Amino acid sequence: MRTTPPSRTRPGRSARLLTLLAALVGLAFLGALCPAAALAQSSGARAATGLHISGGRLLEANGNDFVMRGVNHAHTWYPGETQSLADIKALGANSVRVVLSDGHRWSENSPADVANVVAQCKANRLICVLEVHDTTGYGEDAAAGTLDHAADYWIGLKDVLAGEEDYVIVNIGNEPWGNTDPAGWTEPTVAAVKKLRDAGFQHTIMVDAPNWGQDWQGVMRADARTVFDADATGNLIFSIHMYSVYDTAQEITDYLNAYVDAGLPILIGEFGGPADQWGDPDEDTMMATAEQLDLGYLAWSWSGNTDPVLDLALDFDPSRLSSWGERIFHGADGIARTSKEATVFGGGAPDDTEAPTVPGTPSASAVTATSVTLGWSASTDDTRVAGYDVVRVGDGAETPAATSTTNSVTVSGLTPDTAYTFAVYARDAAGNRSARSATVDVRTREGGGTPGAVCAVTYRVVGEWPGGFQGEIAVRNTGTAPLTPWTLAFTFPDGQTVTHMWGGTATQTGGAVSVTPASYTATVPAGGTVTLGFTAAKGTANTAPTAFSVNGTACA
C-alpha cells in the first residue's frame, strides 16, 4: 500500500538530475564491482540449507536455479486478503513478497499470523519473501524504524521460520534508507545481517538499497561486495527497486549487469511501470533484461494502493486486472510466459514442457448488461492445471478478459447491448499453456446507461502530523452499469484544505470540495471501486466529512 509512494519520492531533485547522477556514480564505482572481485566464499563457510546462493545465483537445495517471477502483496495493511495468495499463484507467479510490520510504525504481525502466511504460501506453491516495511526511508522519514529493530523482530520469529529455509527468504527491511546521507546504509545493513546469522538464521537474506530502494547514488552498488562478504554463509541477495529513476534502457542494463559481471546476486524486488509525476519507468527493459540475465522480479503491487494506478488487480479481484496487471501477468517477458514453479513443490520442474489439454468450449449464462458468466469443461495435465486465462477474440486479435483457478468465471465491466466473443486457455504449474478453446459468442443485454449515481463512499485518515494529514476516499459503484463520467462532492467541517490529490483533481471553495476523476479512474465498473488519495492541511480538529454525493445524488 504505497500511499504517496516513497519508492518514487526524491525530494528537491528532478528525475533527470537523479538519473544523470546515478550514471556518474555508476562510472565512479565500476571498479568496485569488477569481475575480478567476484571471489567465491571460503570453503569454510557453513553448508547451505534450502534456498541458497552459489556463483551469484539463487538456487534451491537440490541445486536447481530458481528465478523469481512474482508480485508484492500488502498483507500487513490488508490481513484479511489471504485469498490473494491463491489468486496470485493462479495467474502463474512462483513467488510473492509479503509486506509485514515489526510494530514500530504499524501494527505488528504476530508469530501466528506470520506462520499462517508461510503456510498459505506453501499451500499455494509460492516461494515466500517476507519483508519488514517499517524501515522505509530511514534517515529521511522520521517515522521509519531501524534495521536493528527489524532484525530483533525476525529473531522473535525464529521459532516460526526455523525449518522453512526451502520456502522462505528474509528481506530484513524495506528501502531502509532515504536520500539523506545514503552512505550511512552500509554499516547498519552489515550489522543486521550479522545479527541474524549470530542468532542462527540459515535462510537466504535479502537486503534493499538506500535512496528509497533505488540506489540512484550508487551506494549499494559500490559497497555490495563488502556487504556480501560480511555474511559468513554467503546466502545473501541484493534487491534494487526500480521506479522512475530507471526511465532509460541504459540505466537499467548498466545497473543489473554490474552485479552479474561481478558474480553478485541481485533481483528487482519492486518495480512500477505506469508514469507518475517523477517520470515514466521503462518496465519493458526491466522485464526483458531480467529475462535475458535470468534475474528475478517482483512487481509492485497486487492491490490496495492509495493511488490505484499501481494496482495489478482492482479491489483484490483477479478477474479485474488493470492494464498494469495485464502487462505483468500476460505481456512480453511477463509472469505467465516466464515463471517456473520451484521444484521443492514437486511440480513444474524445468523439464516439464507438456501443455494441458484444450479446455472445453465455453458456455455463457447469467448474461446482464455488463457481465457474463462463462463455464467450460476442465483441462487435464501431466502435473496439474494451475489456472485458466479467458480472452476476448475479435479482429484477429486477443484481449485478456479474466483468469480463474476453476472452470468458470464471471467477466464484468462489459458494455451493454454489445457482441463479444470469448475463448479459454489452460495453464499448468510450469507455465505451459494449452491451445485455445473453441469460442462462444455473447451479446450483453440492453442497459439503462450510466445511473444518476448509485454509490457508496468510504473515507479514512491514513496518516496525520501537525498541520496536515493524508486521507483516502474509496468510491464504489453499487449500480448495474458503469459509472462515467462522475463528480464527487463533500464538505470538510473543520476547514481542512486539500493540497494534493492522486486519482482525481480537487477544486475547493471554503470547506466544499468537488473531485473529478483522472483518466485511469474515469470509469467505475458496476460493482467496482476507485480509490482517491490526498494530502491536506488542517488545524487542531480533523473531523471527517459526513456526507458524500456523486453526480448530485447522495451516496451511502
Side-chain angles (χ1 to χ4, degrees):
M1 188 183 78
R2 299 293 176 148
T3 46
T4 45
S7 290
R8 298 168 295 287
T9 302
R10 300 178 299 285
R13 301 176 187 270
S14 70
R16 178 49 50 195
L17 174 61
L18 298 186
T19 51
L20 289 173
L21 285 172
L24 291 173
V25 170
L27 290 173
F29 291 122
L30 183 60
L33 289 180
C34 66
L39 302 176
Q41 292 292 304
S42 69
S43 58
R46 285 175 286 178
T49 301
L51 289 161
H52 63 281
I53 302 298
S54 179
R57 305 292 305 167
L58 177 63
L59 307 180
E60 295 186 70
N62 63 2
N64 183 65
D65 200 59
F66 181 68
V67 179
M68 290 190 207
R69 289 288 183 265
V71 305
N72 288 262
H73 172 52
H75 172 74
T76 200
W77 300 301
Y78 300 98
E81 296 291 346
T82 52
Q83 172 62 31
S84 294
L85 297 175
D87 295 336
I88 290 166
K89 177 62 180 183
L91 287 162
N94 64 16
S95 47
V96 62
R97 182 171 179 258
V98 180
V99 178
L100 301 176
S101 172
D102 65 5
H104 177 83
R105 187 167 186 175
W106 296 284
S107 298
E108 178 180 328
N109 293 96
S110 68
D113 182 40
V114 176
N116 182 54
V117 168
V118 173
Q120 296 216 33
C121 282
K122 291 167 67 176
N124 288 291
R125 305 161 77 93
L126 291 165
I127 295 300
C128 200
V129 179
L130 303 176
E131 62 101 343
V132 163
H133 216 75
D134 308 66
T135 57
T136 306
Y138 180 79
E140 186 172 355
D141 188 337
T146 65
L147 279 170
D148 187 65
H149 189 272
D152 286 340
Y153 173 72
W154 293 120
I155 291 170
L157 291 171
K158 186 178 178 183
D159 289 345
V160 170
L161 300 179
E164 302 294 351
E165 292 87 354
D166 279 315
Y167 308 97
V168 172
I169 292 174
V170 175
N171 189 177
I172 306 178
N174 182 69
E175 301 175 3
W177 209 275
N179 292 328
T180 303
D181 187 27
W185 165 90
T186 305
E187 184 177 344
T189 299
V190 167
V193 171
K194 288 183 174 180
K195 192 169 192 176
L196 291 184
R197 295 306 185 206
D198 290 345
F201 276 75
Q202 293 293 300
H203 304 72
T204 294
I205 290 175
M206 185 181 294
V207 295
D208 284 9
N211 295 125
W212 302 92
Q214 298 195 86
D215 200 31
W216 60 267
Q217 289 176 293
V219 171
M220 186 172 82
R221 179 170 168 171
D223 292 350
R225 176 59 59 187
T226 297
V227 175
F228 187 80
D229 288 347
D231 181 1
T233 72
N235 293 328
L236 183 143
I237 187 168
F238 296 95
S239 174
I240 183 67
H241 292 184
M242 289 187 164
Y243 291 100
S244 48
V245 164
Y246 296 92
D247 57 357
T248 69
Q250 193 70 49
E251 292 157 347
I252 295 162
T253 56
D254 282 354
Y255 194 92
L256 295 176
N257 274 292
Y259 288 80
V260 173
D261 291 345
L264 290 168
I266 189 162
L267 84 160
I268 308 174
E270 283 186 24
F271 68 105
D276 57 27
Q277 61 263 50
W278 298 288
D280 187 1
D282 183 0
E283 70 276 13
D284 291 341
T285 298
M286 295 176 203
M287 296 169 70
T289 304
E291 178 65 10
Q292 177 192 3
L293 299 176
D294 283 333
L295 303 180
Y297 65 66
L298 300 165
W300 187 275
S301 76
W302 178 243
S303 197
N305 291 282
T306 302
D307 185 348
V309 71
L310 279 174
D311 282 358
L312 297 160
L314 304 179
D315 300 319
F316 296 93
D317 183 350
S319 70
R320 296 174 55 220
L321 294 182
S322 66
S323 57
W324 174 227
E326 293 291 354
R327 173 69 188 91
I328 289 299
F329 287 106
H330 302 304
D333 304 304
I335 286 173
R337 301 185 186 185
T338 66
S339 175
K340 301 294 183 184
E341 186 178 83
T343 59
V344 71
F345 296 114
D351 58 354
D352 179 9
T353 59
E354 183 175 337
T357 60
V358 180
T361 304
S363 60
S365 62
V367 180
T368 72
T370 60
S371 66
V372 59
T373 298
L374 301 174
W376 54 89
S377 299
S379 298
T380 59
D381 186 61
D382 60 328
T383 56
R384 70 183 184 92
V385 175
Y388 297 90
D389 302 323
V390 178
V391 296
R392 291 204 310 260
V393 182
D395 298 326
E398 295 180 356
T399 304
T403 61
S404 177
T405 57
T406 66
N407 57 325
S408 67
V409 72
T410 298
V411 182
S412 58
L414 305 178
T415 302
D417 195 24
T418 301
Y420 292 91
T421 300
F422 295 100
V424 184
Y425 291 92
R427 232 182 321 102
D428 69 12
N432 299 309
R433 208 181 195 200
S434 73
R436 195 177 78 187
S437 74
T439 60
V440 62
D441 296 325
V442 180
R443 176 172 287 277
T444 52
R445 298 185 183 279
E446 293 184 4
T450 298
V454 182
C455 54
V457 171
T458 302
Y459 175 96
R460 72 184 184 105
V461 173
V462 176
E464 200 164 357
W465 55 90
F469 70 102
Q470 181 174 312
E472 178 182 284
I473 303 171
V475 181
R476 181 169 180 80
N477 178 3
T478 57
T480 59
L483 178 60
T484 186
W486 58 266
T487 300
L488 172 71
F490 62 93
T491 300
F492 280 124
D494 295 322
Q496 301 98 318
T497 304
V498 175
T499 55
H500 177 65
M501 176 171 281
W502 50 98
T505 301
T507 56
Q508 186 166 354
T509 303
V513 181
S514 177
V515 180
T516 54
S519 59
Y520 56 87
T521 59
T523 299
V524 190
T529 301
V530 297
T531 305
L532 314 172
F534 66 92
T535 55
K538 70 175 182 67
T540 303
N542 189 21
T543 307
T546 57
F548 296 84
S549 65
V550 169
N551 296 345
T553 300
C555 298

